[in-house]
Amino acid sequence: MSETVERLQTATAGLLWTSEADYPFEIFEWTDRTELDRDALLNFLALPPDTQVECMEVDRFFEKAMRDRDWYDEVESARAQKFRDLVAMLHQTLSQIRVFRLGTVEIDVYIVGRSAQETWAGLHTRIVET
């Protein structure tokens, strides 16, 4: 197990992405060193070329989860801090970070960046938006 994977596991332990359903973060590391763009991602995941893909910045994706509100209790504030820590760790550990949202309604999300070992590593989760 690489140091990158270990850091991702530690940063996401017990953390769920909340939408209309709650999903954990799964950690991955792809040893393929080719450039990663929309088409390469679809090919790697064996998805059809007409799959809807949205690409966004990592900070924009996590923006609402990182925000601390005046009315948050200790648990909610701690969760927002954990997301802020996760994003900081992603920026420290990975370069060329991209967030790919694949599909509609039940959306697969891949947060992918280049590791120090020149592999692609990151997080996968799901979002439900109706």
Side-chain angles (χ1 to χ4, degrees):
M1 179 181 321
S2 74
E3 180 182 339
T4 300
V5 169
E6 288 178 10
R7 291 189 75 191
L8 290 168
Q9 286 176 335
T10 300
T12 59
L15 197 57
L16 298 174
W17 185 259
T18 301
S19 60
E20 292 182 33
D22 294 341
Y23 287 96
F25 289 93
E26 300 169 2
I27 289 81
F28 61 85
E29 187 169 34
W30 299 326
T31 57
D32 190 321
R33 292 176 174 7
T34 61
E35 284 306 308
L36 187 64
D37 60 14
R38 176 195 185 282
D39 294 333
L41 180 67
L42 292 177
N43 186 48
F44 186 78
L45 297 171
L47 294 172
D50 63 345
T51 300
Q52 181 174 329
V53 178
E54 177 187 357
C55 189
M56 63 192 321
E57 297 289 323
V58 68
D59 292 336
R60 183 172 154 234
F61 176 75
F62 283 107
E63 183 178 25
K64 289 180 183 173
M66 294 188 299
R67 194 175 301 148
D68 206 352
R69 305 287 189 173
D70 293 340
W71 61 86
Y72 278 5
D73 62 21
E74 288 180 25
V75 172
E76 292 167 319
S77 290
R79 182 175 182 273
Q81 182 60 53
K82 188 154 180 151
F83 275 110
R84 288 191 295 274
D85 293 344
L86 171 60
V87 172
M89 187 278 307
L90 289 170
H91 284 295
Q92 292 167 359
T93 306
L94 303 172
S95 62
Q96 303 176 42
I97 304 171
R98 303 173 187 121
V99 177
F100 294 97
R101 293 171 38 113
L102 289 78
T104 59
V105 183
E106 291 188 19
I107 302 165
D108 280 295
V109 177
Y110 289 86
I111 302 148
V112 186
R114 183 73 83 178
S115 73
Q117 296 79 31
E118 294 297 316
T119 62
W120 293 106
L123 307 170
H124 168 253
T125 193
R126 294 184 63 99
I127 297 173
V128 177
E129 294 178 346
T130 57

